[in-house]
């Protein structure tokens, strides 16, 4: 019986003090019953097979491994192939924005619409970014570039009351293609 394939988007890997080789990460996950572990780019994108279970349970398991083996506190946003495809198709900025500047921030849970309105209000006048909510996601178009933006992860997370990690459309399309190759 084939196990389902998932992707984990790990936050804050290989930035700041969270240095981790992808070989170390693959080895640790394989010891915890993750199968066919493959990393995509050295920034915390991990594809794997695992017995079917709710993605939240896989997120908790991955976060535990990061904390236990590497002393890292990090979000692990796990999504199925269909959820990645939905994050691409559902992003309202994907068609008219630059694929390097249009991001999906994968959230640990659905954001409260009232908290999203607070985020929009608090960001008003701080930049040209466009934002929209999706299922366990925040869609962002960093119109003038990510590097100079004042719309950073901690600012977003404080207003939404949940953690997240973002990937641009180029990365997401590449990851979706890898998931499709695995299922072919």
């Amino acid at each position: 019986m084939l196990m389902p394939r998932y992707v984990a988007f790990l936050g804050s890997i290989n930035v700041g003090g969270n240095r981790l080789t992808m070989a170390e990460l693959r080895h640790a996950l394989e010891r915890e019953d993750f199968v066919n572990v493959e990393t995509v780019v050295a920034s915390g994108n991990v594809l794997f097979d695992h017995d079917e279970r709710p993605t939240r349970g896989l997120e908790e398991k991955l976060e535990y491994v990061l904390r236990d083996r590497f002393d890292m506190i990090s979000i692990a946003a796990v999504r199925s192939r269909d959820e990645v495809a939905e994050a691409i198709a559902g992003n309202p900025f994907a068609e008219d924005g630059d694929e390097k500047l249009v991001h999906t921030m994968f959230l640990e849970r659905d954001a409260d619409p009232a908290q999203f309105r607070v985020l929009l209000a608090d960001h008003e006048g701080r930049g040209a970014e466009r934002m929209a909510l999706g299922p366990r996601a925040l869609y962002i178009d960093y119109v003038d570039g990510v590097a100079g933006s004042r719309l950073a992860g901690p600012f977003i997370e404080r207003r939404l009351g949940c953690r997240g990690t973002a990937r641009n459309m180029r990365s997401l399309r590449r990851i979706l293609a890898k998931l499709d190759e695995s299922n072919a």
Side-chain angles (χ1 to χ4, degrees), residues 143-156:
V143 178
D144 295 327
V146 178
S149 176
R150 296 171 69 188
L151 185 62
F155 179 87
I156 294 168

Side-chain angles (χ1 to χ4, degrees), residues 107-150:
L107 303 173
E108 61 190 342
R109 61 175 166 70
D110 283 317
D112 181 289
Q115 288 178 290
F116 175 65
R117 288 190 294 276
V118 169
L119 170 63
L120 290 175
D122 287 355
H123 185 64
E124 191 171 334
R126 294 172 56 100
E129 295 86 0
R130 303 183 293 170
M131 293 179 275
L133 276 182
R136 292 192 305 153
L138 176 66
Y139 302 124
I140 307 166
D141 183 1
Y142 288 97
V143 178
D144 295 327
V146 178
S149 176
R150 296 171 69 188

